[in-house]
Amino acid sequence: MRAILLSETKTAPTLTELPLPAPGPGELSVAIAACGLNFADLLMIEGKYQDTPACPFVMGMELAGTVTAAGPGTTIAPGTRVAVFSGQGGLAEAGVFPEARCTPLPEAMSFEEAAAFQIAYGTSHVALSTRARLAPGETLVVLGAAGGVGLTAVEIGKRMGARVIALARGAEKLAVAQAAGADVLIDSETPDLKAALKAAGGADVVYDALGGAVGEAGFAALKPGGRFLVIGFAAGEPPALKLNHALVKNLEIHGLYWGGYLKLDPKVLTASMATLFGWFAEGGLTPHISARFPLDQTAEALEMLRTRRSTGKVVVLTAPQAATAEGR
């Protein structure tokens, strides 16, 4: 099978040929159709991600495909279409994964949609429902609202009955956030973001996928009793939050590492994903994929993610007959 291998951190991953092992007890062999890219993939290359596997490893944290063989003790049959949150191994034509990481797909969900679904939607749903306890009628501010996770926060926030203020860079990205349901649009390059957010009514919950100065402005715009969600640092650095403001205004600060719930409380992820797949089946969620690349153009796909030129998700089509980048 062809696969994207990271031999050593701080070096470029390479396309290589690897043998495919047979599934062992509790494992499934999957013919991979699509793999969703995440900001964490870039951090893994740099050796900065909290769960970077030991090198060498096949990259790709989430994938979708068809079960081709089942090891002893499994219940998912060959021929079943599945989404897999694997943490690694998705950027390949095939792979072997624990059955516990595999979820059968709703009939209407395509492989591309499934590859773009679990981490982004799962992060936003657990953050907004379990951590921030977002309530109908509250105001949610999403920082980085056109990105892979930010766009799902806009969509889920509206689904949960919130008024959503979206911050993104430029008119094109703001239009994508508006199409996902945002009520108020603010360009993240506005000179005084704190003033702009307060003029828009302030925030009950801030979903911060950016960090840096934008995150600091969002934190400053929280109403008393507000909640601040630390999701990621796409801007390059964590925000310097003023904890004396947290004290005076009775603010809550919640970190959210979705994959960490596999150890912290896996039932939260199971229940969340069941809710999200149900919403999708009802037509209530629409994964936004802005670019698709074949496996041999993974470097270009990662560069699009690195330079923040994408909106929503970037997906790599891993099958040999995958569409060319020109067709994205």
Side-chain angles (χ1 to χ4, degrees):
M1 66 175 188
R2 297 187 306 161
I4 300 296
L5 188 73
L6 185 66
S7 299
E8 186 177 352
T9 57
K10 301 186 186 301
T11 64
T14 57
L15 180 64
T16 188
E17 292 276 349
L18 295 174
L20 176 64
E27 294 181 330
L28 301 173
S29 182
V30 177
I32 301 171
C35 178
L37 297 187
N38 293 276
F39 187 72
D41 293 311
L42 301 176
L43 296 178
M44 286 186 185
I45 294 172
E46 294 299 317
K48 296 179 179 179
Y49 190 61
Q50 59 267 22
D51 274 344
T52 301
C55 291
F57 69 93
V58 175
M59 296 189 64
M61 300 177 68
E62 59 180 334
L63 61 105
T66 303
V67 176
T68 55
T74 56
T75 60
I76 298 177
T80 304
R81 300 166 65 252
V82 293
V84 185
F85 170 61
S86 57
Q88 59 178 296
L91 285 168
E93 292 173 336
V96 171
F97 308 100
E99 184 183 45
R101 297 291 188 96
C102 302
T103 303
L105 297 183
E107 185 176 346
M109 182 177 282
S110 70
F111 287 131
E112 293 179 26
E113 290 170 325
F117 196 85
Q118 291 186 98
I119 293 176
Y121 281 98
T123 293
S124 292
H125 184 251
V126 172
L128 295 175
S129 63
T130 302
R131 305 296 283 176
R133 310 174 309 281
L134 181 67
E138 289 191 312
T139 295
L140 167 67
V141 170
V142 181
L143 310 181
V149 292
L151 199 58
T152 64
V154 172
E155 199 174 0
I156 291 172
K158 287 300 295 181
R159 174 87 187 199
M160 295 176 68
R163 171 178 176 260
V164 179
I165 300 174
L167 268 74
R169 184 175 55 186
E172 182 178 350
K173 291 187 175 183
L174 286 171
V176 171
Q178 185 176 38
D183 299 289
V184 179
L185 307 174
I186 299 176
D187 194 307
S188 58
E189 294 186 343
T190 298
D192 192 342
L193 282 175
K194 174 183 173 181
L197 286 168
K198 288 193 171 183
D204 297 293
V205 175
V206 170
Y207 181 104
D208 181 19
L210 292 179
V214 177
E216 292 159 18
F219 186 75
L222 278 168
K223 303 174 186 178
R227 289 87 76 199
F228 187 88
L229 290 162
V230 182
I231 303 299
F233 315 117
E237 59 184 10
L241 304 181
K242 296 183 177 180
L243 297 185
N244 58 318
H245 291 189
L247 185 154
V248 172
K249 295 169 70 176
N250 290 301
L251 304 179
E252 300 176 27
I253 302 170
H254 297 280
L256 191 283
Y257 167 39
W258 183 76
Y261 266 89
L262 287 168
K263 294 180 180 178
L264 178 64
D265 191 350
K267 292 180 181 179
V268 169
L269 297 189
T270 302
S272 172
M273 201 53 56
T275 296
L276 290 167
F277 277 151
W279 287 353
F280 177 89
E282 295 169 2
L285 299 175
T286 307
H288 178 85
I289 301 170
S290 63
R292 299 162 177 83
F293 291 83
L295 187 63
D296 59 6
Q297 293 185 23
T298 297
E300 290 88 336
L302 289 167
E303 184 62 20
M304 174 172 276
L305 198 65
R306 180 181 292 108
T307 55
R308 295 170 60 186
R309 290 183 286 117
S310 60
T311 56
K313 294 285 283 191
V314 175
V315 170
V316 173
L317 306 178
T318 55
Q321 69 273 18
T324 63
E326 287 75 20
R328 64 183 182 270

